[in-house]
Amino acid sequence: MHGLLRERTFDTLSVAEIITAAGVSRASFYFYFAGKQAVLAELVRRAVGAGHEAARRWSEAAAGPRETLRAGVDAGAGLWFANAAVLRAIVESWASDPQLRELWLEQMASYTDVAATRIEADVRSDPAVAARLEGIDVRALAASLTWTGERLYYLAACGVPPFDDRTVLVDTLTHLWVSALYE
């Protein structure tokens, strides 16, 4: 399905094309998947799992938050570039398909949870962060930063300048996060 998504949008693909590209029988396909949305959902879950590994650099790091945040943003960029076709497909399809909507909102909430947990830990451990974020809804801030990242990674995956340049993408996202949290 990766190859098909590089050539076409998800909504234009048929199950028959996916079966042919995968070289499996219709019975085998339907034994494992209810439809093409289920295939996309599985591919997205795999990519998001890798994304959580990338985010771990910042969320669980003992090193300085700026350095680990940059490393996590860069790993996220690598994940999006490596999985561009699948991640573009979910971003372009989640608003019009209830199953994909539920999946993507759940996946994005999982990133927001990780970010909110780390920000709350920084608030407890760093008086400067606590003062900077006083009165701010940490969950809303985490969600805003997470969704901003989703959009910029998506633009990069679509080859939209200036975000198609990984350095620009990583510098920009890192600046947004560091500015919001630490400066």
Side-chain angles (χ1 to χ4, degrees):
M1 189 151 141
H2 284 276
L4 292 172
L5 288 172
R6 283 188 205 99
E7 300 166 6
R8 307 213 340 254
T9 61
F10 177 72
D11 63 324
T12 65
L13 294 180
S14 70
V15 170
E17 291 170 310
I18 296 168
I19 289 170
T20 299
V24 298
S25 71
R26 182 170 286 282
S28 292
F29 177 87
Y30 282 111
F31 179 79
Y32 292 102
F33 301 106
K36 70 179 188 175
Q37 291 82 359
V39 177
L40 179 59
E42 180 58 30
L43 294 173
V44 167
R45 283 187 194 95
R46 289 178 187 180
V48 168
H52 278 291
E53 279 300 312
R56 191 166 291 159
R57 289 179 170 95
W58 174 66
S59 65
E60 297 178 1
R66 289 167 183 82
E67 298 79 20
T68 57
L69 183 56
R70 181 177 185 77
V73 168
D74 185 58
L79 171 85
W80 271 80
F81 284 119
N83 294 279
V86 168
L87 294 172
R88 278 195 330 261
I90 188 70
V91 170
E92 293 165 359
S93 302
W94 73 269
S96 63
D97 182 286
Q99 290 174 319
L100 295 177
R101 176 183 173 82
E102 182 180 341
L103 170 70
W104 194 237
L105 291 175
E106 178 184 290
Q107 300 307 310
M108 291 303 294
S110 71
Y111 283 115
T112 296
D113 291 344
V114 168
T117 298
R118 171 58 194 253
I119 294 167
E120 289 164 352
D122 287 344
V123 166
R124 287 190 303 277
S125 67
D126 187 333
V129 174
R132 179 170 185 74
L133 300 182
E134 185 176 349
I136 299 295
D137 181 327
V138 169
R139 178 119 183 116
L141 178 60
S144 297
L145 291 167
T146 299
W147 280 100
T148 299
E150 184 259 13
R151 183 54 28 175
L152 295 185
Y153 286 137
Y154 169 74
L155 292 172
C158 291
V160 176
F163 304 113
D164 58 336
D165 179 323
R166 185 170 173 164
T167 300
V168 170
L169 173 66
V170 171
D171 287 349
T172 302
L173 273 174
T174 301
H175 177 77
L176 288 172
W177 281 75
V178 168
S179 296
L181 301 176
Y182 306 116
E183 291 180 353

